[in-house]
Amino acid sequence: MTVLEQRGAYQPSPPPAWQPRMDPAPLLPDAEPYRVLGTEAAAEADPDLLRRLYAQLVRGRRYNAQATALTKQGRLAVYPSSTGQEACEVAAALALEERDWLFPSYRDTLAVVARGVDPVEALTLLRGDWHTGYDPYEHRVAPLSTPLATQLPHAVGLAHAARLKGDDVVALAMVGDGGTSEGDFHEALNFAAVWQAPVVFLVQNNGFAISVPLAKQTAAPSLAHKAVGYGMPGRLVDGNDAVAVHEVLGDAVRRARAGGGPTLVEAVTYRVDAHTNADDATRYRGDAEVEAWRAHDPVQLLERELTGRGLLDEDGLAAARQDAEQMAADLRERMNRDPELNPMDLFDHVYAENTAQLREQRALLRAELEAEQGDQEGGLR
Amino acid sequence: MTTVAVKPATMAQALTRAMRDAMAADPSVHVMGEDVGTLGGVFRVTDGLAKEFGEDRCTDTPLAEAGILGTAVGMAMYGLRPVVEMQFDAFAYPAFEQLISHVSRMRNRTRGRMPLPITVRIPYGGGIGGVEHHSDSSEAYYMATPGLHVVTPATVADAYGLLRQAIASDDPVVFLEPKRLYWSKDSWNPEQPTDVEPIGRAVVRRRGSSATLLTYGPSLPVCMEAAEAARSEGWDLEVVDLRSLVPFDDETVCASVRRTGRAVVVHESTGFGGPGGEIAARVTERCFHHLEAPVLRVAGFDIPYPPPMLERHHLPGVDRILDAVGRLQWEAEG
């Protein structure tokens, strides 16, 4: 007999009844990525939507090629190509209404352009003449975010604020597979779910965070599974199937707009090019893997559907290519002009009103520039 | 003070009143943070706001500082004026990336198209017997980040006035609240708050002719006490309350130092790499020919903030200030 039993005083009380807050089953993603193209469901897809997606895909592919060429010509400091991921980019932009907001990551230039932003202004950050070229309010596109996942809580806050104001605005926030390991990813998903904010998170799982493969990034069954722990649904979709991504994102956007709360969508895709022009992808992956993904090309997949159903003939295909070529020529021509830079801009947007210290520094730079100009003029005389 | 006091008010009450008045005047002002709603904040500085304005305007958030500030960024993008509470100085560190990579530079990054009117309230500094991570003076980190205003009140009137200005500012403001002064009282009428000097201006709190003590926030009362004590040594000290570390008021500071010819910078924060180094350098660059002695610093030691039972040895006190003042008799030395 123990001491406590001898005293006869110890009566352990049963713990309060526990039950889970909700049934996690509806939140779980399907075992396989959702696909439309190449299945019977494709026959039901709206022909107009298919044509719009295709036109943007072709433009996106050409844009990636042109921007990559511009890095080789020294016109861009760096370009993170999204070749192979164009379906995610295009579907992201087309899933939104005009009043909605897009929160892109640094690789998401195509989504930004597909949203209506001037192709040259979308490259300002990467050219290096300023940080953000476009007015975020004009097309409701946040600045391209270079720190990983830090733009996700912004999307949550904006969507939350819009709902507080009574506006039915949805925010779509884009992040890569590597970004899902960041603390801000976790905090953003948690805030969104607790606040039931009208946000859609789109993870483009392109296989690598620069060189680190997904297996070293996470032990989760899929990135879509991460949603369940926060209390939001996770959806898994073939990221190279533009129709499927558009459908899944469209559902998530409608659900958010109707007050159903956030969704996490994982689009499984592949970055065919290197991380940027400064990266050597042959150090961390083999040709066979890249070739297998090239065979599952987002442009080809959609093109097959369009031609197979007779929705686009040779002339139609040629017109799409012609349109993309025109866009590329225009981009090339405009990017080959030197940007007009005003060094005084350095001081103009630090604070609403410059501090005395910045006014002094501004005057110093002005004097330096005037002296430089004087030297040049003196040289001419 | 010209204020007619109904009764003495504490700094904490003035801060609460400032948020209440700002929220009443502008529906876009939202208060958010951990425990700010039902509990009214661990220091009760947000007491009553959730009840008066509803939980949508004064929101208890999940416990995540990066998330609190990160969502505030998005709210500010959509036209709200978030007032964020960070609960304790060292708890703000997870939000550093949001502050430095986004809050401070969104205006700059977007060429002025997307200013972020966010006030980040951070109770800071020691002297309240807090355990580790509850007493840091982190102002140097914020000062080193362009795009932020860094403000710290030392009086009840300033607590109200500066916080109203911070909330009304179109730029992000790091609003450092000296937590050991939360319960300091002053004659101040919450019904008729007097105007205070704008952000960016220092104020001479005590006129004097022998030397200038340059200080702010929690060290101001210590310096005022030191100035009184110095009278018996024959020193007539001027005390300048900086109030705003960014923007910095070179004009008021230098006018004072040129008058007195001697200066001591006093703060709790560490001396090495601390605000005092910047301030001493600025004063030296501008007032060299007026100086009778080098600008001295009386700061916290260069150690992680000590445990509460030892903090009195770390914090600059009257004696350490008076010793520094004694060392200002430069020309008398060998």
Side-chain angles (χ1 to χ4, degrees):
Chain A
M1 209 179 222
T2 68
V3 175
L4 282 174
E5 280 164 341
Q6 278 171 353
R7 285 182 192 162
Y10 180 66
Q11 288 292 328
S13 56
W18 181 87
Q19 57 184 52
R21 293 181 59 192
M22 65 171 89
D23 177 7
L27 306 179
L28 277 164
D30 294 334
E32 282 282 314
Y34 178 69
R35 292 193 175 92
V36 174
L37 294 173
T39 74
E40 286 173 11
E44 288 162 33
D46 171 24
D48 280 345
L49 174 69
L50 296 185
R51 288 193 200 99
R52 276 196 298 146
L53 285 170
Y54 181 74
Q56 290 289 351
L57 276 184
V58 175
R59 279 173 79 103
R61 175 64 48 94
R62 188 65 188 87
Y63 189 96
N64 275 328
Q66 185 57 61
T68 302
L70 286 166
T71 60
K72 290 175 184 154
Q73 295 158 14
R75 284 292 176 181
L76 283 177
V78 68
Y79 183 72
S81 166
S82 59
T83 296
Q85 302 178 223
E86 292 95 340
C88 303
E89 299 286 314
V90 162
L94 295 192
L96 295 176
E97 302 285 342
E98 206 178 302
R99 62 187 176 284
D100 297 333
W101 273 77
L102 182 77
F103 286 79
S105 187
Y106 60 88
R107 199 184 297 283
D108 300 322
T109 326
L110 290 193
V112 171
V113 172
R115 185 95 180 121
V117 170
D118 181 310
V120 171
E121 290 186 353
L123 288 174
T124 300
L125 171 78
L126 301 166
R127 171 152 69 172
D129 49 319
W130 201 257
H131 304 306
T132 299
Y134 51 91
D135 180 347
Y137 290 101
E138 195 182 341
H139 298 282
R140 285 153 300 281
V141 178
L144 292 162
S145 185
T146 311
L148 296 182
T150 53
Q151 80 281 16
L152 305 182
H154 305 171
V156 177
L158 182 135
H160 177 63
R163 204 175 59 147
L164 289 177
K165 286 189 170 186
D167 300 340
D168 66 341
V169 166
V170 176
L172 192 154
M174 303 173 76
V175 68
D177 43 300
T180 65
S181 297
E182 292 278 3
D184 281 60
F185 172 82
H186 158 73
E187 298 193 18
L189 264 68
N190 191 49
F191 270 71
V194 171
W195 286 350
Q196 286 292 285
V199 190
V200 178
F201 300 98
L202 172 60
V203 181
Q204 289 182 72
N205 170 9
N206 67 12
F208 295 90
I210 305 189
S211 69
V212 178
L214 188 72
K216 289 184 182 172
Q217 200 66 244
T218 181
S222 78
L223 296 172
H225 275 80
K226 288 179 181 270
V228 183
Y230 300 102
M232 75 173 78
R235 295 287 171 254
L236 196 54
V237 63
D238 181 340
N240 288 19
D241 181 335
V243 184
V245 182
H246 184 265
E247 190 182 320
V248 169
L249 284 180
D251 285 348
V253 166
R254 278 187 292 278
R255 187 172 163 275
R257 203 185 308 284
T263 305
L264 172 68
V265 178
E266 176 189 355
V268 184
T269 182
Y270 196 79
R271 161 167 57 74
V272 171
D273 288 344
H275 166 62
T276 67
N277 48 301
D279 170 38
D280 175 10
T282 62
R283 292 175 74 104
Y284 53 85
R285 66 188 191 189
D287 289 346
E289 180 181 307
V290 182
E291 287 315 308
W293 276 96
R294 278 191 199 281
H296 190 59
D297 180 78
V299 184
Q300 296 300 323
L301 280 177
L302 187 57
E303 195 172 300
R304 239 173 279 150
E305 178 65 31
L306 281 162
T307 51
R309 276 171 66 184
L311 296 173
L312 215 53
D313 55 15
E314 271 308 317
D315 288 349
L317 294 176
R321 281 194 286 269
Q322 177 60 32
D323 165 68
E325 211 48 57
Q326 186 58 49
M327 179 274 305
D330 183 56
L331 181 63
R332 198 165 53 235
E333 196 266 321
R334 290 172 64 204
M335 289 296 291
N336 277 322
R337 280 182 238 153
D338 289 331
E340 284 176 29
L341 300 177
N342 181 1
M344 304 321 287
D345 274 2
L346 291 174
F347 299 99
D348 286 350
H349 310 294
V350 184
Y351 296 101
E353 196 184 322
N354 264 350
T355 61
Q357 292 77 27
L358 284 181
R359 284 197 296 273
E360 273 179 29
Q361 291 165 28
R362 194 179 197 283
L364 169 68
L365 180 61
R366 181 174 285 284
E368 283 176 1
L369 291 169
E370 281 168 2
E372 242 174 55
Q373 217 165 29
D375 288 350
Q376 281 170 3
E377 280 164 14
L380 285 173
R381 278 196 293 272
Chain B
M1 288 239 172
T2 53
T3 340
V4 185
V6 176
K7 58 177 181 179
T10 66
M11 180 181 279
Q13 287 168 333
L15 293 166
T16 311
R17 181 72 189 206
M19 279 183 275
R20 190 190 145 201
D21 290 354
M23 291 172 89
D26 181 353
S28 66
V29 177
H30 283 240
V31 171
M32 55 197 287
E34 170 77 1
D35 300 310
V36 299
T38 310
L39 182 66
V42 292
F43 293 106
R44 307 291 181 270
V45 176
T46 55
D47 195 22
L49 299 179
K51 203 169 175 188
E52 187 171 349
F53 298 100
E55 289 181 13
D56 281 348
R57 297 277 308 277
C58 179
T59 309
D60 276 332
T61 63
L63 202 171
E65 288 76 12
I68 294 169
L69 188 54
T71 51
V73 169
M75 291 164 73
M77 284 178 172
Y78 206 77
L80 301 185
R81 285 185 179 273
V83 181
V84 165
E85 180 177 301
M86 284 294 163
Q87 200 160 88
F88 280 96
D89 32 59
F91 295 4
Y93 300 151
F96 248 56
E97 185 178 16
Q98 284 293 339
L99 192 70
I100 286 160
S101 294
H102 293 294
V103 174
S104 63
R105 59 175 87 188
M106 194 65 86
R107 171 188 290 279
N108 187 254
R109 164 185 294 151
T110 60
R111 280 198 175 129
R113 286 154 176 155
M114 192 174 254
L116 295 179
I118 299 174
T119 304
V120 186
R121 293 181 39 240
I122 307 176
Y124 85 118
I128 63 157
V131 296
E132 196 182 5
H133 304 300
H134 289 73
S135 300
D136 286 13
S137 295
S138 33
E139 56 268 34
Y141 306 139
Y142 306 117
M143 287 171 73
T145 304
L148 301 175
H149 291 298
V150 184
V151 170
T152 177
T155 68
V156 174
D158 258 4
Y160 179 89
L162 284 174
L163 186 52
R164 286 299 301 271
Q165 292 173 27
I167 296 170
S169 170
D170 284 337
D171 287 319
V173 179
V174 174
F175 193 86
L176 298 166
E177 300 174 1
K179 62 172 95 75
R180 71 164 138 143
L181 300 185
Y182 270 151
W183 304 280
S184 65
K185 290 186 178 179
D186 204 342
S187 49
W188 180 75
N189 183 355
E191 302 309 320
Q192 278 181 305
T194 41
D195 288 339
V196 297
E197 298 287 318
I199 289 175
R201 291 290 293 278
V203 167
V204 178
R205 295 289 180 203
R206 187 190 194 280
R207 285 272 169 190
S209 56
S210 320
T212 300
L213 300 181
L214 299 167
T215 191
Y216 55 87
S219 293
L220 177 67
V222 187
C223 286
M224 296 297 275
E225 199 186 328
E228 282 306 306
R231 280 163 32 142
S232 62
E233 310 277 330
W235 286 85
D236 177 22
L237 298 182
E238 182 147 309
V239 179
V240 175
D241 176 4
L242 299 173
R243 304 167 75 251
S244 167
L245 298 170
V246 183
F248 189 80
D249 186 354
D250 287 302
E251 200 183 323
T252 303
V253 166
C254 291
S256 172
V257 175
R258 284 175 189 147
R259 264 198 308 275
T260 63
R262 295 173 170 86
V264 180
V265 191
V266 182
H267 59 59
E268 283 185 21
S269 174
T270 51
F272 188 86
E278 173 64 30
I279 295 166
R282 302 188 76 80
V283 169
T284 306
E285 283 172 356
R286 287 164 177 76
C287 310
F288 184 72
H289 295 292
H290 300 264
L291 286 172
E292 305 287 344
V295 181
L296 298 181
R297 287 171 289 166
V298 177
F301 295 131
D302 298 329
I303 56 172
Y305 196 86
M309 293 173 81
L310 293 172
E311 68 179 349
R312 69 187 180 86
H313 302 293
H314 169 74
L315 293 172
V318 170
D319 286 347
R320 209 173 281 161
I321 296 169
L322 291 177
D323 283 350
V325 168
R327 276 186 282 134
L328 288 176
Q329 290 174 302
W330 187 256
E331 75 274 39
E333 286 179 16

